[in-house]
Amino acid sequence: MPKYSFTAEKLADALAPGEITAASGTLTASSPQAAKEAVERSLRSRGYEPTGSITITRN
């Protein structure tokens, strides 16, 4: 499966209202859409709500 890089901007922290952060990293997925969905699920499971863009780039 291809490797992708992601950058997620404007993540609202559910545990600290008013706090905004960003994240970036890499993952393996079957498609760019699958990568984006995986990033969204992962962020939400960690208490962050994506309120800005999530950019996915194939490595």
Side-chain angles (χ1 to χ4, degrees):
M1 280 198 286
K3 292 185 180 181
Y4 295 92
S5 296
F6 74 89
T7 303
E9 300 178 5
K10 296 184 181 177
L11 301 173
D13 189 335
L15 301 177
E19 292 293 318
I20 302 293
T21 191
S24 62
T26 60
L27 72 155
T28 301
S30 59
S31 69
Q33 183 61 33
K36 185 174 182 178
E37 291 169 2
V39 169
E40 289 172 345
R41 275 193 312 273
S42 179
L43 292 170
R44 287 189 177 108
S45 75
R46 288 167 171 75
Y48 295 101
E49 184 63 34
T51 59
S53 64
I54 297 176
T55 304
I56 303 290
T57 307
R58 187 168 175 173
N59 292 348

